[in-house]
Amino acid sequence: MKRLQILPLAIFSIFFILMNWYVLGGLQVVAPQSYLPAVFWFVITLSIFSVFYAIIGMQTRGVDRFFKIATHAFLTLFVSEVLFLLVLLSQDAYRLAAGTFYLVSDNQFLVPARNWIWIGVSIALFFFSVLIFLYGILKGKYAYRVIKHTLLFKNLPVAFDGFTITQISDIHAGSFSNSKAVQNGIDIINAQQSDLFVFTGDLVNNKAEEIKPWIGHFSQIKAKYGQFSVLGNHDYGDYVKWENELAKQANLQQLKKYHEELGFRLLLDEHVELQKDGEKIVLAGIENWGLGFGERGDLAKALLGTTKDEFKILLSHDPSHWEVQVKNNLNHVHLTLAGHTHGMQFGIEAFGVKWSPVKFRYKHWAGIKEENNRILNVNRGFGFIGFSGRIGIWPEITVIKLKKC
């Protein structure tokens, strides 16, 4: 078992060293000083040993401050060096092509020297990447933005024409460290003055106690027609060791009580009816159901007693649930609100480009999708986990306006 754990680390270490050997060769074009290799390899060796020490110590010390600094510094260095390497590889590919051309035409394999301009571009890209990471870690994870959607439905009750919903997801309270920044997010939520507030799961990373310091913040959220919530995969405590099953279940029960203290009506495979001017819509919520993340939720139970013609909104943490059970369900769910993906907290959404590595796991990982006259919205998340930052995929507060067409 230990060999299986060590082998991937050994392979990655060899790759990282070879990559840095290649990067150093590029740097020496513009910095030929004799001391450069010693300084360079000292930094690389320090980064490797720091991250190994952090990972090994995680078993006893947990995810402490040193772990976060070491792993985030290493990730920043690695990604920035990969960008440097890609530019350098492009130049070397051109040099190889030029040498091959000379070999064919003049019978001499003459490879042009590396151009300092290309190296300069590589260095500039490296430092730009470092700055982007620093912003994402220090500021980006709290750079809340409001994304608004107006959605049209034929059978929306007239009384609910113009009804507004604010959605957040994936709070991950255990990751927060800046109360002022979090309060700013709460103020933005309340400033929307929506009719309804919903939270679509992952209140904590692992343990119920994580939300306790933040109850005073999130309990400020109020909406005319109430605040409703569901559980996400992290809320069940599946990713940490417990003394026994009773301790794990006690943690879950405590988490449910904290939802109540927040003023959130937790929907557990059930639904409520929202009444307005003599008309109603159905708001349902299920326990977490996600491919590879626990299939606990019972949609049939949540919709029991509803008819296919009633206008229904579903809170379901994982968007894979919509793909598998909701979009083709005979009991028509008009709008599903989900989260879970975080947009992987890394990607680009600018200049008409929308990309994140999470696309390889979820085809639709953020925003609105419509199929079979059913609509899904995937919120990018309010908090963060793992990587203590956000780059390009900023924390989201969704505001949806329902319109009758």
Side-chain angles (χ1 to χ4, degrees):
M1 184 69 177
K2 290 184 178 180
R3 288 184 179 180
L4 291 175
Q5 294 173 347
I6 293 173
L7 183 60
L9 290 174
I11 293 173
F12 179 80
S13 298
I14 292 171
F15 169 78
F16 187 64
I17 291 170
L18 289 175
M19 181 183 77
N20 278 279
W21 169 77
Y22 186 70
V23 168
L24 176 60
L27 285 175
Q28 288 179 307
V29 173
V30 295
Q33 291 84 353
S34 59
Y35 59 79
L36 177 64
V39 173
F40 180 87
W41 285 115
F42 173 77
V43 172
I44 298 305
T45 303
L46 180 64
S47 68
I48 293 174
F49 277 101
S50 294
V51 78
F52 273 22
Y53 177 76
I55 292 172
I56 293 170
M58 184 173 62
Q59 298 178 356
T60 55
R61 301 189 304 271
V63 181
D64 58 7
R65 187 175 181 84
F66 179 80
F67 178 90
K68 291 181 179 179
I69 292 173
T71 54
H72 284 62
F74 184 85
L75 178 64
T76 302
L77 175 65
F78 177 74
V79 173
S80 301
E81 281 195 319
V82 166
L83 294 175
F84 184 104
L85 178 143
L86 290 174
V87 176
L88 196 61
L89 276 173
S90 299
Q91 183 192 16
D92 285 348
Y94 167 76
R95 293 171 62 225
L96 179 61
T100 303
F101 175 79
Y102 287 129
L103 179 63
V104 173
S105 60
D106 299 333
N107 293 320
Q108 295 184 71
F109 189 65
L110 301 174
V111 179
R114 280 176 169 161
N115 190 311
W116 66 269
I117 296 178
W118 284 74
I119 305 301
V121 171
S122 300
I123 293 172
L125 196 58
F126 174 90
F127 283 108
F128 177 74
S129 175
V130 170
L131 290 174
I132 289 293
F133 266 89
L134 287 175
Y135 176 80
I137 292 169
L138 299 176
K139 296 288 185 179
K141 61 189 177 186
Y142 296 118
Y144 304 107
R145 65 172 183 166
V146 177
I147 297 180
K148 297 186 176 183
H149 303 289
T150 298
L151 304 179
L152 305 178
F153 300 94
K154 290 182 179 180
N155 56 345
L156 178 71
V158 175
F160 287 87
D161 187 23
F163 191 83
T164 54
I165 305 167
T166 288
Q167 176 200 5
I168 65 170
S169 193
D170 300 87
I171 289 174
H172 290 287
S175 299
F176 291 145
S177 60
N178 188 330
S179 60
K180 184 177 180 181
V182 173
Q183 183 61 51
N184 178 55
I186 303 298
D187 293 341
I188 293 172
I189 291 170
N190 281 328
Q192 307 311 307
Q193 298 183 325
S194 291
D195 296 306
L196 177 70
F197 171 82
V198 298
F199 168 65
T200 46
D202 275 2
L203 187 63
V204 296
N205 295 338
N206 295 297
K207 296 184 176 181
E209 64 192 36
E210 297 168 22
I211 189 59
K212 196 170 182 179
W214 306 99
I215 290 176
H217 292 76
F218 288 94
S219 62
Q220 298 172 33
I221 299 173
K222 302 297 178 185
K224 182 178 180 180
Y225 288 84
Q227 305 82 235
F228 295 85
S229 60
V230 291
L231 299 175
N233 56 299
H234 279 269
D235 294 323
Y236 295 91
D238 288 341
Y239 307 121
V240 290
K241 289 184 178 180
W242 298 93
E243 184 178 348
N244 51 52
E245 185 62 25
L246 287 176
K248 182 179 179 182
Q249 290 304 315
N251 175 76
L252 179 58
Q253 293 308 311
Q254 182 60 61
L255 185 71
K256 293 177 181 179
K257 291 180 181 178
Y258 284 145
H259 274 259
E260 186 177 351
E261 288 186 36
L262 290 168
F264 294 0
R265 167 70 160 85
L266 183 62
L267 297 174
L268 301 168
D269 295 338
E270 58 188 313
H271 70 268
V272 295
E273 295 180 352
L274 303 180
Q275 303 279 345
K276 185 181 181 186
D277 298 337
E279 296 186 290
K280 70 177 183 179
I281 61 174
V282 172
L283 177 66
I286 68 164
E287 296 204 45
N288 184 68
W289 194 107
L291 293 175
F293 292 95
E295 300 173 6
R296 291 178 167 92
D298 187 336
L299 182 61
K301 181 181 177 183
L303 299 180
L304 187 65
T306 66
T307 67
K308 64 182 181 64
D309 295 323
E310 288 178 304
F311 188 90
K312 292 181 284 297
I313 300 172
L314 173 68
L315 309 183
S316 178
H317 177 68
D318 193 313
S320 67
H321 178 241
W322 187 81
E323 297 286 353
V324 176
Q325 290 192 353
V326 180
K327 70 179 183 181
N328 294 313
N329 199 292
L330 293 177
N331 195 342
H332 193 129
V333 175
H334 300 77
L335 174 62
T336 300
L337 303 177
H340 181 64
T341 72
H342 298 220
M344 208 170 173
Q345 299 167 212
F346 181 87
I348 182 171
E349 291 187 274
F351 311 111
V353 177
K354 181 179 178 180
W355 182 88
S356 167
V358 78
K359 68 171 289 185
F360 299 111
R361 178 67 172 81
Y362 296 93
K363 289 183 179 180
H364 183 73
W365 50 270
I368 297 294
K369 179 180 181 180
E370 183 171 2
E371 190 173 338
N372 294 340
N373 293 316
R374 294 160 172 85
I375 296 177
L376 166 70
N377 181 65
V378 182
N379 181 282
R380 294 163 180 81
F382 187 87
F384 48 91
I385 189 173
F387 172 51
S388 185
R390 282 180 175 266
I391 298 174
I393 309 296
W394 313 117
E396 175 182 350
I397 298 163
T398 310
V399 177
I400 293 173
K401 178 182 283 189
L402 307 180
K403 293 293 292 181
K404 187 175 182 62
C405 62

